Every structure is written in C-alpha cells, then in structure tokens.
Amino acid sequence: MTDGPLLSLSPLTAVDASPPDLVTAAASAGFDFVGIRAKAAATDTQWPMLDDGPMVRETRRRADDLGIEILDVEVLRITGADDVETALRLLDVASALRASYVLVNGNDPEPTRQADTFALLCHEAEQRGVSLALEFMAFSRIRTIGDAAAVLRHATSPVAVLVVDALHLARTGSSAEEVRALPDHWLSYVQLCDAPKKAPPDHAGLITEARTDRLLPGAGELPLHELIDAFPAGAVYSVEAPVLAHTGWAVDVRADHAYRALRDTVHAM
C-alpha cells in the first residue's frame, strides 16, 4: 500500500478488459486496489467469473504477485426474481478473490421485498467475510441516498455499507452534506468521476452517460472536493470513469490516465 489516500480502479473504467488484465493494468498504474466485474451488465462481456474456475484463480494469483488488493466484485442485482442463487455465487467468488465488498444494485419494484432480500444477503455475506456495498442510482429502484439509507437501516448488519458514486449523487439532486450526515461506518469507499453540471434530459440519457460517457476526475464540473471531504479517514477512492473519447485505448493507457486524474484530485484536498 502507498502512503496517503487509498486509490482503486473500478472495472467500468475499462469494462472491456478481462479481470486478470485489469488487475495487471491497475497495479502497473499504481493503484492500491482494483474492482472486478464478475457479473456482466447490458451487452458487456460475461467473463467466466461466476465459479471458482481458472480465470478467478488467475485473477487472484495476479493480485497476489503484483501486490494489489481486490476492493469489490460487481454486480449483484436484486430484481425480485431468481436473485438468491446468482447472488450466492457472486458472494462465493468475492470470498475466493478475498475482495472486501460486493457491489449491490436494487432493481426490485417491490420495496419491502427488496429490503428483505438485501438483509438476507447481508447474513450470507457475513458468513463469507464479505461486506455488501449498496449503490443508489436515478435509474434504479433505489433512486436516492435516502432510499439506500432506509435499506441499510432495515438490514441492521455490520457488513452493510453505502457506496456513493459522484455522478449518481449529482444526478439525483443530492449533496455532500447529506453524505456527511450518514454514519461513518457506512462510508467505506466512494466512486469518483466527473461530468458537466447539466444532466442529460431523459432516463435513457442518464443510463448512457453513466455507462459510457463520463469524464475523468477534474475534467468536469462536479463538486468532487466537497464529496471527498465528506468521507472519513481511511476511505478508499475508486475511479469509475468510462470516457467515450478513450474507447479503444489499451487498458494500461486508460488505467494510467485514470490513476493520474484520481491521484491529482484526491491529493489536492
């Protein structure tokens, strides 16, 4: 680990890279941590990462050899239909990778069932030594920081935490002051990127921006320093910034640019 703030590379920054190659690129760039996408979203490649197979073992081996830790495994989606089996596989993969967190999105239209499912999965995560990091997004069924806080309180679990994404915080009309008011033990890591102040005009535009068209930290108009200042000492800062103009760049080049932008933004505090 380096001295100073702890920095991580989110898989969405280079989502086309295989998990082992992302580990190599993150370590080479200087990151302390890296995130792993074990369950694909939309049209992304589904790598063979849903069991303790060769790619999972190679990912862990590279992390060990290169001295980088695995921060989180993505993405566990609660939909209300056939969630638990896939969720348990993701938790098992996270345990095999010795990841600290599994990132959770809420997409169940029934709020009570969604909160109950999250609480159940927290119990399963506890057995595996993994925490569940719940994310709110304008286009999910956990839309606001208040929605996420209610689910975390319902779970009453020591492994339930909140992941705050700078873009989603801005696009849901929330602020760093709302983050600062939350319990410190919920605030383990934050995802940083940048964007124009003006949001896309519609739901589809929000999804496109979030998945493919963000800016590196420091290249836009989001109040990142206020958000960074709201997090307690020891938090991990993860760069989640798929930049449209960087499409097709080699993964190591994207990782290097992301590292320098994140480092400069966080160290400016």
Side-chain angles (χ1 to χ4, degrees), residues 55-254:
M55 186 171 280
V56 171
R57 294 193 292 273
E58 174 63 11
T59 301
R60 184 63 256 176
R61 184 193 67 77
R62 289 201 199 182
D64 289 340
D65 290 350
L66 296 169
I68 188 170
E69 296 296 329
I70 295 175
L71 180 69
D72 58 0
V73 168
E74 303 180 352
V75 182
L76 194 167
R77 291 180 178 81
I78 299 174
T79 67
D82 301 324
D83 293 331
V84 175
E85 181 181 353
T86 299
L88 295 182
R89 291 171 72 185
L90 278 166
L91 293 178
D92 288 340
V93 169
S95 179
L97 291 171
R98 300 200 298 278
S100 297
Y101 306 96
V102 171
L103 189 145
V104 180
N105 291 164
N107 293 291
D108 188 338
E110 211 296 297
T112 300
R113 181 175 60 196
Q114 180 162 257
D116 287 344
T117 300
F118 183 78
L120 169 66
L121 293 175
C122 283
H123 175 75
E124 294 289 345
E126 288 179 41
Q127 312 310 308
R128 293 163 174 80
V130 177
S131 293
L132 295 189
L134 185 64
E135 183 177 28
F136 60 95
M137 301 182 292
F139 45 85
S140 77
R141 295 288 184 166
I142 299 178
R143 294 182 175 89
T144 69
I145 197 168
D147 293 340
V151 174
L152 293 177
R153 291 191 183 97
H154 178 77
T156 63
S157 171
V159 303
V161 304
L162 178 72
V163 59
V164 179
D165 182 311
L167 182 67
H168 298 315
L169 188 74
R171 297 309 187 229
T172 56
S174 298
S175 69
E177 286 306 308
E178 292 175 74
V179 176
R180 194 187 303 276
L182 298 172
D184 279 359
H185 65 270
W186 285 0
L187 303 176
S188 301
Y189 73 108
V190 55
Q191 293 175 332
L192 298 179
C193 67
D194 223 325
K197 186 175 182 180
K198 186 176 180 180
D202 54 26
H203 183 88
L206 289 170
I207 295 174
T208 297
E209 178 188 51
R211 282 187 43 79
T212 65
D213 196 14
R214 305 186 188 205
L215 299 174
L216 291 177
E221 301 174 288
L222 300 185
L224 298 183
H225 289 156
E226 295 176 16
L227 178 58
I228 292 167
D229 190 56
F231 271 73
V236 178
Y237 302 95
S238 178
V239 57
E240 184 173 69
V243 179
L244 192 60
H246 297 177
T247 302
W249 287 15
V251 60
D252 58 332
V253 176
R254 280 177 284 172

